[in-house]
Amino acid sequence: MWDTLREEDIPSGRALAVAGELERGQLVWFNETFWFKDVAKSYREGNADRAQLHLKLTAGEKQVSIRGRFNAARVTSDSSLSNLSRQYHAFVAAFVRDVTQNEVTIRPVVIADRGKNVAGGMSELRNDLRVWPRSVDAFKDVDFSARLSKEDLRILRDVPEEAVKVALLDILGEPEHMKDWGGEQCDIWTDRITIDGGRHQAAFALKGPAKFHPMTVSDLGKNGDQIARLAHTAADLLVVQHCHTIKPEVIEMLRTYAMKPGHVRRYMALDGYDTLRILKHFGKV
């Protein structure tokens, strides 16, 4: 199953659900905190279709419920019965059974812990996929604990996206300046980022003051396709930068693409407050 997910480019259920592109019969994967119900009871009673799981995904003003039933007799250990109780973070591969406007019904074929030291490439998953700006060597002297207010953030309303791009390129020591065009996969492409001395190929998506409000998935193109374009690069670090705050749904989408089976990489969110701290430290604003 893992080889199939990795080699056949099975898509993320979250990404397709947010984009409204799930269809009956698709095989998809989720790596989410699900709510489980009636697993142990179903196991004891031998009821093949009573165990349930569900979660809700948010995209802007839209919420999509993901629901499914499975055969609890297929669990592989007693600990599965206790783990799959109420909330539990699990890797789920499933077929899509039905799709309505606000609900998707799935049939799980695999429910598992996605961890290390498992055959077939699972060991590539890291527990520390998210990179915090303070971990980037170029930003090591920036005071990320400096308190800023919403009024401070307004400074970035008057700083064009291009100016932030030029500043970041200079701070990172990247001499190549990509010209923007409509079909670009990223705004910055650089291998000058080091984290604890280790070099990374990074792809950035930048959002300037034309969208001066908390970033949602819809601010990243239709159904968040700018993140998808980042993920289709060979970068091992995916970065989303915004001049304002970044909503949790964007972080989750970024994390989802970073955890793609067969191409796991790291990700970083650079919100307006951290952007301002960096630009101030280097005298760019």
Side-chain angles (χ1 to χ4, degrees):
M1 171 57 72
W2 180 250
D3 287 343
T4 299
L5 290 169
R6 184 180 57 182
E7 296 170 8
E8 300 299 323
D9 198 22
I10 305 303
S12 156
R14 169 182 276 273
L16 292 183
V18 170
E21 296 175 356
L22 280 174
E23 297 178 357
R24 293 181 183 180
Q26 286 177 310
L27 176 62
V28 297
W29 63 270
F30 296 89
N31 203 93
E32 308 281 350
T33 299
F34 286 87
W35 282 92
F36 289 88
K37 182 180 178 182
D38 293 335
V39 180
K41 185 175 183 180
S42 176
Y43 179 83
R44 290 193 302 269
E45 295 178 355
N47 190 321
D49 204 36
R50 184 166 181 172
Q52 303 175 51
L53 80 172
H54 78 271
L55 80 151
K56 286 189 177 181
L57 302 178
T58 302
E61 301 301 318
K62 179 183 176 183
Q63 276 204 331
V64 179
S65 292
I66 310 293
R67 298 183 179 275
R69 292 177 178 269
F70 59 96
N71 186 355
R74 301 289 186 181
V75 300
T76 56
S77 65
D78 290 341
S79 62
S80 300
L81 299 177
S82 58
N83 288 343
L84 303 183
S85 174
R86 295 182 66 79
Q87 276 190 302
Y88 191 73
H89 194 88
F91 178 86
V92 175
F95 284 102
V96 178
R97 300 189 71 173
D98 197 15
V99 180
T100 63
Q101 184 175 1
N102 297 310
E103 185 170 287
V104 175
T105 305
I106 61 174
R107 181 67 177 184
V109 291
V110 170
I111 302 173
D113 289 323
R114 182 178 171 181
K116 298 181 178 180
N117 303 320
V118 180
M122 291 291 280
S123 60
E124 67 183 343
L125 183 67
R126 303 169 58 111
N127 293 324
D128 57 346
L129 291 180
R130 184 168 184 177
V131 174
W132 298 92
R134 60 172 53 88
S135 300
V136 176
D137 293 338
F139 306 152
K140 65 180 181 180
D141 294 325
V142 176
D143 182 6
F144 287 102
S145 65
R147 296 188 65 177
L148 296 174
S149 68
K150 288 184 180 180
E151 289 302 313
D152 293 318
L153 197 61
R154 291 182 182 277
I155 295 172
L156 293 182
R157 186 191 287 272
D158 300 317
V159 180
E161 180 183 308
E162 180 66 14
V164 173
K165 177 177 179 177
V166 171
L168 288 174
L169 289 171
D170 181 56
I171 292 166
L172 295 172
E174 174 56 68
E176 296 295 327
H177 186 151
M178 296 168 51
K179 291 185 177 181
D180 292 341
W181 62 287
E184 66 191 4
Q185 289 181 287
C186 59
D187 295 300
I188 292 177
W189 176 255
T190 181
D191 63 359
R192 305 287 173 160
I193 284 188
T194 60
I195 300 168
D196 296 327
R199 197 160 179 171
H200 292 266
Q201 179 68 63
F204 284 67
L206 308 179
K207 279 297 173 184
K211 301 283 187 178
F212 195 73
H213 56 234
M215 176 186 277
T216 65
V217 170
S218 61
D219 289 321
L220 288 158
K222 183 181 178 182
N223 303 317
D225 63 1
Q226 281 182 274
I227 297 181
R229 292 204 297 270
L230 280 187
H232 280 101
T233 69
D236 53 38
L237 176 62
L238 309 179
V239 184
V240 169
Q241 181 276 335
H242 186 42
C243 61
H244 209 288
T245 56
I246 299 176
K247 288 197 170 183
E249 67 195 65
V250 176
I251 307 297
E252 281 300 316
M253 184 65 78
L254 188 56
R255 176 177 174 272
T256 294
Y257 277 105
M259 296 184 71
K260 179 182 177 181
H263 195 183
V264 175
R265 52 280 208 43
R266 305 183 77 179
Y267 67 96
M268 179 170 69
L270 197 59
D271 68 8
Y273 290 103
D274 281 342
T275 298
L276 185 56
R277 291 183 181 105
I278 292 168
L279 297 183
K280 278 189 168 185
H281 176 81
F282 288 96
K284 303 297 184 180
V285 292

